[in-house]
Amino acid sequence: MQVKREDSVTSTARRAQIVDAAIATIAEIGYRQASYSKIAERAGLSSTRLISYHFDSKDELISKAISTIYTDLAAFMTARVSAATTPRAALDTYIRSLVEHIAGHRAEMRAATEIFLNFKPEGGSAAQDAATDLTVLGHVEHLLVKGQESGEFGPFNTRVMAMAIQRALDGLPFLLEAVPDADLGEYGDELAWIFARATRP
């Protein structure tokens, strides 16, 4: 019979410790090499049983890891984009903030890339499935629609433009794998300039 875990401050902290260790381990040695023993060693745990106690399976642990990465990213982005006062400012902020977050969280982005490419949960969906992708695109498209309605943006297909913007940003973690010393400040500036011109009336 499975022991029911207590929902306590200590348990929550331990789970967070294990998740952080999983992210760091995957970022350093890759998803396929990130065994429970490696994660336990990184977390400073005496036994892999402590991981099994807090997570029913590796799928659950990896799902929590990717959820943590995306939740932190969403909080970072929301705080900045919501402060923009116009759709054009919001678009510029969205692009620059996402590049800034990726630049400051390279290990997390490397782990996310590894999980995206390799994680196939049993009986579930991939780390970022079609529904999740459409949700992200929907936020960008909504911003573009508001800009067209206000007259700040010109006429264009908002779904196509949203995909162009998001795909240019989604490719950044892969670029960093190939070119670790890429100038991300320049990357963000160029993308912001390109899409400012592409969306203008």
Side-chain angles (χ1 to χ4, degrees):
M1 183 177 68
Q2 185 179 18
V3 178
K4 184 177 180 180
R5 295 187 292 266
E6 293 185 4
D7 185 14
S8 65
V9 173
T10 301
S11 178
T12 299
R14 178 69 78 185
R15 282 172 61 86
Q17 177 189 8
I18 294 169
V19 169
D20 288 345
I23 292 170
T25 302
I26 293 169
E28 181 179 350
I29 64 176
Y31 175 83
R32 296 186 183 280
Q33 303 302 319
S35 63
Y36 266 17
S37 61
K38 292 290 186 182
I39 294 171
E41 180 181 356
R42 168 79 66 165
L45 303 178
S46 59
S47 170
T48 59
R49 292 179 183 177
L50 287 171
I51 299 178
S52 298
Y53 175 78
H54 289 281
F55 295 92
D56 292 336
S57 65
K58 189 174 183 180
D59 279 4
E60 183 188 359
L61 172 57
I62 299 304
S63 294
K64 182 61 177 176
I66 198 66
S67 173
T68 297
I69 292 171
Y70 285 145
T71 297
D72 290 347
L73 171 59
F76 182 89
M77 296 292 294
T78 299
R80 284 154 180 77
V81 175
S82 62
T85 56
T86 66
R88 182 162 295 284
L91 177 60
D92 184 83
T93 301
Y94 180 82
I95 292 170
R96 294 179 187 276
S97 295
L98 186 47
V99 173
E100 178 187 350
H101 184 86
I102 292 171
H105 298 79
R106 295 196 181 202
E108 290 86 346
M109 292 301 105
R110 188 176 303 113
T113 300
E114 279 287 318
I115 293 171
F116 175 77
L117 293 174
N118 296 287
F119 179 47
K120 299 294 186 293
E122 185 176 350
S125 57
Q128 182 165 336
D129 57 20
T132 303
D133 191 48
L134 284 176
T135 298
V136 174
L137 287 175
H139 291 313
V140 180
E141 187 173 7
H142 177 68
L143 188 159
L144 296 172
V145 170
K146 288 181 63 177
Q148 287 183 333
E149 291 174 347
S150 70
E152 290 184 74
F153 296 153
F156 51 79
N157 185 304
T158 55
R159 173 57 57 88
V160 173
M161 186 66 74
M163 289 187 66
I165 293 168
Q166 194 59 47
R167 294 299 174 259
L169 292 165
D170 289 344
L172 184 50
F174 295 96
L175 172 65
L176 287 176
E177 288 297 305
V179 189
D181 60 347
D183 186 338
L184 299 191
E186 181 181 14
Y187 190 95
D189 289 343
E190 285 291 327
L191 280 187
W193 181 82
I194 288 169
F195 288 110
R197 290 179 64 85
T199 57
R200 67 186 182 183

